[in-house]
Amino acid sequence: MPDDVHQTLILPPPLRRVLPAARWERVGVGESGAGVWKSQRYVVKVQERGGLPFPSTLQQERERLRWLAGRVPVPRVVGYEVEGGVEYLALTRVPGLDASHPDVLFHPDRLVDLLARALRELHALPLRECPFKMSLSVTLPHVRERVAAGVVDETDFDDEREGRTAISIFNELARTRPASEDLVVTHGDACLPNFIVNGEFIEGLIDVGRAGIADRHADLALTHRSLVRNLNAEYAEQFLELYGRERVDAGKLAYYRLLDELF
């Protein structure tokens, strides 16, 4: 993506007409490559269009946000434009702090309860209503394309996979693919920064470009890992207990942590 897109926010005319004049603060660049800008009331995500469409484009995120609206708390889509090969997605800003913020982590028992409830609510949505498929029959071919294209960052693997290649991880995924999937509507990237907490509530789920029907462990694995990193293993296990230990398969948790390495 061109560096100037990350350094200066220049909105396309249609978005300038719907967004009020504001002081925009550059938040950073996410792992997907999208630049993120915030004002007091809105968020604008900017991403180069083209290339591999996976893990997600901003158009895919827009579609998922529109479907999730009214079902679970998510930002409202204000506008979407493409100009000069760049996507722009404007959203309402969700009030609160992301779940990895120190002020949220200061209340770990409350946090793990909120996370468990939020995922139970999401996973209870009717499958027949969800148009987005993210099961292994969809994701494995896509990550194979990413590996073949050389876009996987092999320096960012978890410590236990340090020094491995993307090809070796994909081969392991293909060899150890679970025999069945416990399909639910998933977030797709359910790490702590993607849950916005406001007081006693999860005020919003953000970065939902990979949301869709998949095994529930695609979410549980990433939330569990994120809790280990931000709190400790004890609270990560408490989260699984609150979610429902009878639904958890330790082997699948490990499998979906491995799969996430290739995103």
Side-chain angles (χ1 to χ4, degrees), residues 208-250:
V208 296
R210 284 159 50 185
I213 296 174
D215 192 300
R216 71 178 73 242
H217 293 81
D219 282 347
L220 296 178
L222 301 195
T223 306
H224 182 271
R225 182 185 64 188
S226 200
L227 284 166
V228 171
R229 291 175 174 177
N230 286 273
L231 289 170
N232 56 46
E234 180 181 346
Y235 283 110
E237 292 301 306
Q238 185 177 325
F239 157 74
L240 294 179
E241 293 291 342
L242 291 167
Y243 178 87
R245 177 68 72 171
E246 71 281 359
R247 300 174 179 175
V248 178
D249 181 314

Side-chain angles (χ1 to χ4, degrees), residues 103-180:
D103 290 352
V104 178
L105 296 173
F106 189 71
H107 303 281
D109 291 294
R110 180 181 68 184
L111 175 59
V112 295
D113 180 62
L114 288 175
L115 293 170
R117 280 193 281 156
L119 286 184
R120 285 202 310 268
E121 178 183 356
L122 177 64
H123 293 172
L125 293 178
L127 289 182
R128 65 182 179 277
E129 297 179 3
C130 182
F132 310 111
K133 313 300 183 186
M134 296 296 287
S135 62
L136 291 175
S137 62
V138 173
T139 55
L140 286 178
H142 278 304
V143 296
R144 182 176 59 209
E145 290 180 27
R146 289 176 54 78
V147 171
V151 298
V152 176
D153 184 359
E154 296 175 336
T155 68
D156 193 40
F157 290 163
D158 293 343
D159 291 345
E160 61 266 33
R161 284 176 279 277
E162 184 177 355
R164 290 190 58 178
T165 65
I167 292 174
S168 75
I169 287 178
F170 178 79
N171 289 341
E172 183 179 346
L173 288 168
R175 186 176 66 252
T176 62
R177 179 175 178 169
S180 64

